Amino acid sequence: MNFCPSCGAAVVRRIPAGDHLPRDVCSACGAVHYHNPKLVAGCVAESGGRILLCRRAIEPRRGFWTVPAGFMENGETLQQAAARECQEEALAQVEVGRLCAIVHVLHAQQVHVMFRATFASPEFGVGVESLEVKLAAEHEIPWAELAFPSVVFTLRRFLEDRAAGREELHFAAIERPPAQG
Ligand SMILES: [Zn+2]
């Protein structure tokens, strides 16, 4: 951040009194501008044992596969955000179920919150943010072409839990971005 969103003056990086980390502080009005992690909500939506996957039409990782997920909006719950992403990316109406994974994506300043979900009606399609949408059986998941480590982690834990007949909550922390390929 170079300029204060409140008054337009130059911003300097310093530790405010009583704080312990450098912040963006306005040189004119004194406003402190904090930068905190963003929440991403998504879900593993299942239909007849197969999993809803979308091939991304947008950067980052265009052309790679993901489960429906995206940035939470103000005024909605995590479950609503996860369901909305299914609607937007895969034109699918889902019932959001139990939490599956919370992945701290430290290098991107994001927290990914991934639920389990089932289809409320069987239809799905290709949303504007997707190139292709499909239901994939476990052996059809394109592991080498998944967009993000958080998606790999979530799908692996989901499938292990499903095979074991349980629904647990799993945590992970990712420190650096995936190698681009
Ligand atoms: Zn200012």
Side-chain angles (χ1 to χ4, degrees):
M1 178 177 287
N2 296 316
F3 300 101
C4 175
S6 303
C7 78
V11 154
V12 294
R13 195 94 178 133
R14 65 176 179 81
I15 301 177
D19 205 339
H20 62 288
L21 288 173
R23 309 288 184 187
D24 287 340
V25 182
C26 178
S27 58
C29 77
V32 181
H33 301 287
Y34 297 92
H35 305 289
N36 303 103
K38 286 189 158 62
L39 281 167
V40 169
C43 58
V44 180
E46 215 182 354
S47 178
R50 296 187 298 163
I51 292 166
L52 184 66
L53 295 179
C54 306
R55 200 152 74 84
R56 293 171 61 81
I58 54 174
E59 296 292 351
R61 306 291 273 167
R62 186 177 193 277
F64 286 78
W65 291 88
T66 184
V67 297
F71 289 109
M72 197 178 177
E73 301 286 0
N74 293 333
E76 67 183 0
T77 66
L78 284 161
Q79 288 93 332
Q80 287 167 341
R84 177 179 51 73
E85 292 294 338
C86 282
Q87 172 62 44
E88 289 177 1
E89 297 180 10
L91 311 181
Q93 304 285 338
V94 301
E95 297 280 350
V96 175
R98 299 182 74 175
L99 261 180
C100 181
I102 293 178
V103 183
H104 301 94
V105 189
L106 298 169
H107 65 85
Q109 295 94 43
Q110 295 172 6
V111 181
H112 295 192
V113 181
M114 304 294 225
F115 292 88
R116 298 170 176 86
T118 53
F119 278 60
S121 74
E123 301 83 29
F124 66 94
V126 182
V128 291
E129 293 176 7
S130 302
L131 297 170
E132 193 181 341
V133 173
K134 68 179 179 184
L135 283 170
E138 182 168 355
H139 70 274
E140 296 168 332
I141 294 173
W143 293 103
E145 296 166 52
L146 293 180
F148 305 108
S150 63
V151 176
V152 176
F153 176 82
T154 299
L155 284 172
R156 289 213 185 280
R157 299 294 87 75
F158 174 89
L159 291 166
E160 287 167 7
D161 277 7
R162 189 174 73 173
R166 65 188 181 215
E167 290 190 339
E168 293 186 355
L169 170 56
H170 306 273
F171 290 91
I174 294 165
E175 311 245 358
R176 47 177 71 86
Q180 297 297 303

